[in-house]
DNA sequence: AAAATATATGAACAGATATTCATATATTAC
DNA sequence: GTAATATATGAATATCTGTTCATATATTTT
């Protein structure tokens, strides 16, 4: 099989791309707030929309994005869908990020 | 003084905005690679440009952005400018990010 | 002094992306 | 069955952002 394309700094292109995509996903104010809401406790879409002050449609779009990046997970209950964190990497990332912005 | 505007999830708007801005800064493939290069060892602009395969101008723009977010720091030596990490939050963020993308 | 080199910067353009709106799907209530 | 509710989705649009190009600044060399 072909060698992965390597940049001179030791990060292959695929990894750099994946990594940046992950951070880009968290790099949106609405999604940060959606994640913070979901982080506090399992939430259904409507409640998230109200909490972050976005339309349900916009939130739904964001949630799909977050799902695709495996940051949140959906649990269907009747006609409602409850979202929770998929793992706790996000919590750790938030903590580090906060350390930096609150004067790092 | 006025209370900071709070979202229902406990993140005030300013914090959510700052946090997302930080992640957005790392959420670009070129900047990820620039950071990786600088992370390995202090680099001057030209070398970074070559390492990541971007123009020096583009890299310079990115470096300004990274400087403004206090992610990298510049040291001037003659007509060259050497960049290094400003602190090690980025290293920790990269580690966590990699854990997530390499099967989260 | 001028020429050459390294980096920075502003403006402009191209491509990406968040939000809105209209509509679709799924589930429950009647 | 139909009506109502919750969420999802596609397309369109408006905004944001990365890169390029031209040019500016700073430093060294001759």
């Amino acid at each position: 099989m072909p060698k992965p394309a390597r940049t001179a700094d030791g990060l292959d292109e695929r990894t750099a791309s994946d990594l940046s995509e992950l951070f880009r996903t968290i790099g949106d104010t609405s999604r940060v707030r959606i994640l913070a809401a979901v982080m506090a406790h399992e939430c259904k879409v409507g409640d998230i929309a109200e909490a972050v002050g976005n339309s349900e449609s916009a939130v739904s779009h964001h949630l799909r994005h977050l799902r695709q990046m495996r940051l949140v997970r959906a649990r269907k209950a009747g006609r409602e869908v409850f979202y929770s964190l998929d793992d706790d990497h996000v919590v750790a990332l938030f903590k580090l990020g906060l350390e930096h912005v609150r004067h790092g």
Side-chain angles (χ1 to χ4, degrees), chain A residues 67-82:
Chain A
R67 248 187 287 125
Q68 286 168 343
M69 297 300 292
R70 304 193 319 281
L71 294 176
V72 301
R73 141 196 344 191
R75 175 179 70 85
K76 199 166 181 181
R79 57 186 156 193
E80 302 173 339
V81 180
F82 289 86

Side-chain angles (χ1 to χ4, degrees), chain A residues 37-53:
Chain A
V38 166
M39 202 173 294
H41 51 76
E42 206 190 32
C43 290
K44 58 178 184 168
V45 180
D47 293 345
I48 300 175
E50 195 183 2
V52 311

Side-chain angles (χ1 to χ4, degrees), chain A residues 30-31 34 45 49 54-64:
Chain A
S30 297
R31 285 194 290 270
I34 290 173
V45 180
N54 269 348
S55 72
E56 303 192 352
S57 178
V59 170
S60 190
H61 279 292
H62 283 309
L63 285 168
R64 171 167 51 168

Side-chain angles (χ1 to χ4, degrees), chain A residues 13-26 69:
Chain A
E13 291 184 15
R14 176 67 187 284
T15 304
S17 171
D18 289 350
L19 202 51
S20 68
E21 193 183 2
L22 170 64
F23 286 123
R24 207 175 319 128
T25 301
I26 319 177
M69 297 300 292

